Amino acid sequence: MISKADVVVIGSGGLGAATAYYLSKRGGFSVALVDKHEIGSQTSPRAAGMVSCARKSDLMIGLIKDACRKIEAFTEETGQPLDWVHSGSLKIARRPQDAEVIEDDFERGRRTGLDVELISPEEASGLNPFLQPTGVVAAMRIGDDRYFDPAQVAVGFATAAAANGATLLPKTDVRAVNIVGGTVIGVTTANGVIESPVVVDAAGAWTRQVAEASGIRVPLVPTRQQLIVTEPLDGARADLPMIRIMDAAVYTRPCQGGFLWGVYEETPRFFDMQSLGAGFDVKDMPLDIGVLHAAADEVKDQLPFLQTAKVREFRGGIPTMTADGHHILGPAAGVTGFYFASGCNVAGLSISPTVGEALAAWIVDGKPPVDLSPMSVMRFKDQSWSEDQLERDAAWQYRHFYGAV
């Protein structure tokens, strides 16, 4: 157990581990990466590992494009393995109003330099024969999209951070961030105190728990996300484009000879992490395969194989959702030295390389390399919110992640 560090990062998922890595890469800083569980063991390895470049804002598109470059260079930069496939994807509309969204996505994508193309339902089916054109009114091909092995990202960044001199402290529960006179002075853990002028709350599903133990409120909701990995299927290939069906919020990608697929359901389950107890582990999260069965039935005309494919793995994680669908990054209001890296909105792991580098620069240089004010927690500093309203807004953002109206 160490007693001092220049920066303590709480949480070793994708965002926390990436932040620790880019801080350690800067050199001259002692960095501690602390987690109440094993390093990189909670939601990150249970994610889908899908990169979606056609996002709702120029800022997000720019960040995702940079993340794609970092994913490609991950092994060269960190020395750690990362398996990824540049498959592209198909965004599918089944309703006229969603076709209009695709038109907007196409124009935004073309303006920002993405490889996007409006194609017919039949052309989409030709690119991925597991998609049937029945009921499809519009489709867009996004050539920039790719997928990766989610289990390798957080562990890879953490291992590379340690190689740069960072200290990894697994199974070290942070009880409180210590703040005196509005300034961070360290953290109290189950194993003792670590003095530090800078703390990053990247605790994932436990972000609120960490912040509120120190009197800081942050509006995000831990949300259950579930997915299935099927047994191998004839005709499934790693290079088949991913598929996203907008109104049903169903997604699928190739995975180990079969497919990985899931849904952002209409009424997601939220968790109060405090009530789950100190020993809770994401692997023990209660799952409900009925949600997936209902989703498969909803898209049976377009993805009929989902109803018959045998299940090899059924897993879930707990990403954090915000009311406006943006991450929560950067310094906390009114507290010097307290930073957030959370509110992933089911897109944290794919963007973690860029977010980690940006947050490291924010801490060291005093500002991020690009304007991240839409993601700053400062946007909430003069607002009050009820839990009911927060959950309603977060549920809407979850269901409408693909832009359906």
Side-chain angles (χ1 to χ4, degrees), residues 72 84-89 115 142-147 238-240:
E72 291 181 0
W84 58 275
V85 178
H86 191 167
S87 63
S89 76
D115 174 17
I142 305 106
D144 307 88
D145 287 358
R146 61 206 67 199
Y147 63 89
D239 63 343
L240 290 175

Side-chain angles (χ1 to χ4, degrees), residues 301-323:
D301 289 342
Q302 293 78 41
L303 301 173
F305 76 94
L306 296 185
Q307 295 196 306
T308 57
K310 293 181 179 179
V311 176
R312 178 169 55 186
E313 181 185 5
F314 177 37
R315 70 181 190 235
I318 308 181
T320 48
M321 299 299 299
T322 64

Side-chain angles (χ1 to χ4, degrees), residues 22 54 59 74 184 249 251 373 380:
Y22 283 105
L59 171 61
F74 187 90
V184 168
Y251 57 87
S373 56
F380 301 112

Side-chain angles (χ1 to χ4, degrees), residues 1 46 77 113 118 130-131 180 279 287 312 336 340 354 370:
M1 182 69 181
R46 295 171 172 83
E77 179 178 356
L118 298 177
F130 285 87
L131 170 70
V180 175
L287 300 173
R312 178 169 55 186
T336 301
F340 284 105
T354 295
V370 296

Side-chain angles (χ1 to χ4, degrees), residues 33 110 394:
L33 180 59
R110 188 170 60 174

Side-chain angles (χ1 to χ4, degrees), residues 13-366:
L15 294 177
T19 301
Y21 168 72
Y22 283 105
L23 283 168
S24 69
K25 189 179 178 182
R26 287 281 187 129
F29 294 92
S30 57
V31 179
L33 180 59
V34 184
D35 201 299
K36 67 186 295 181
H37 299 95
E38 294 291 350
I39 297 297
S41 66
Q42 295 301 292
T43 290
S44 288
R46 295 171 172 83
M50 298 168 65
V51 181
S52 174
C53 292
R55 305 301 289 274
K56 301 173 186 177
S57 70
D58 289 10
L59 171 61
M60 283 301 299
I61 290 174
L63 295 176
I64 287 288
K65 287 171 68 176
D66 183 70
C68 285
R69 290 188 288 268
K70 287 180 168 57
I71 287 169
E72 291 181 0
F74 187 90
T75 298
E76 180 181 358
E77 179 178 356
T78 66
Q80 301 302 310
L82 179 60
D83 299 322
W84 58 275
V85 178
H86 191 167
S87 63
S89 76
L90 302 169
K91 189 167 186 177
I92 303 300
R94 305 189 299 179
R95 307 180 303 177
Q97 60 265 44
D98 295 329
E100 294 178 7
V101 174
I102 281 185
E103 290 276 358
D104 291 341
D105 287 344
F106 171 72
E107 292 299 333
R108 187 183 308 110
R110 188 170 60 174
R111 175 170 48 78
T112 54
L114 293 180
D115 174 17
V116 290
E117 179 185 12
L118 298 177
I119 60 176
S120 70
E122 291 72 24
E123 288 172 317
S125 180
L127 291 172
N128 188 334
F130 285 87
L131 170 70
Q132 300 302 307
T134 306
V136 176
V137 300
M140 181 172 68
R141 179 190 63 79
I142 305 106
D144 307 88
D145 287 358
R146 61 206 67 199
Y147 63 89
F148 56 86
D149 182 348
Q152 295 176 311
V153 176
V155 169
F157 271 132
T159 302
N164 288 342
T167 299
L168 307 187
L169 296 173
K171 295 188 176 180
T172 303
D173 188 16
V174 173
R175 302 288 173 78
V177 178
N178 302 325
I179 301 169
V180 175
T183 300
V184 168
I185 62 169
V187 298
T188 297
T189 79
N191 301 330
V193 173
I194 304 174
E195 296 178 9
S196 179
V198 176
V199 170
V200 179
D201 185 354
W206 290 270
T207 298
R208 284 186 69 169
Q209 194 172 342
V210 169
E212 289 176 358
S214 305
I216 300 172
R217 292 193 71 205
V218 57
L220 51 77
V221 188
T223 307
R224 181 175 67 185
Q225 183 182 13
Q226 305 179 109
L227 57 84
I228 281 173
V229 178
T230 75
E231 294 284 359
L233 295 170
D234 289 342
R237 304 192 318 269
D239 63 343
L240 290 175
M242 301 178 287
I243 299 168
R244 300 177 176 94
I245 298 182
M246 294 174 63
D247 64 298
V250 168
Y251 57 87
T252 184
R253 70 161 174 88
C255 185
Q256 300 175 5
F259 288 92
L260 176 154
W261 73 278
V263 61
Y264 303 126
E265 65 262 37
E266 193 83 46
T267 55
R269 180 171 179 178
F270 299 123
F271 292 103
D272 174 3
M273 302 306 292
Q274 188 74 33
S275 69
L276 294 176
F280 176 79
D281 192 295
V282 170
K283 66 179 174 57
D284 300 322
M285 180 185 71
L287 300 173
D288 180 5
I289 202 167
V291 172
L292 280 296
H293 289 161
D297 188 63
E298 188 175 359
V299 296
K300 62 184 178 181
D301 289 342
Q302 293 78 41
L303 301 173
F305 76 94
L306 296 185
Q307 295 196 306
T308 57
K310 293 181 179 179
V311 176
R312 178 169 55 186
E313 181 185 5
F314 177 37
R315 70 181 190 235
I318 308 181
T320 48
M321 299 299 299
T322 64
D324 60 6
H326 291 299
H327 289 58
I328 293 181
L329 302 175
V335 181
T336 301
F338 193 112
Y339 291 79
F340 284 105
S342 193
C344 67
N345 289 280
V346 297
L349 195 60
S350 61
I351 202 174
S352 63
T354 295
V355 167
E357 185 178 49
L359 189 55
W362 209 335
I363 292 168
V364 177
D365 303 331

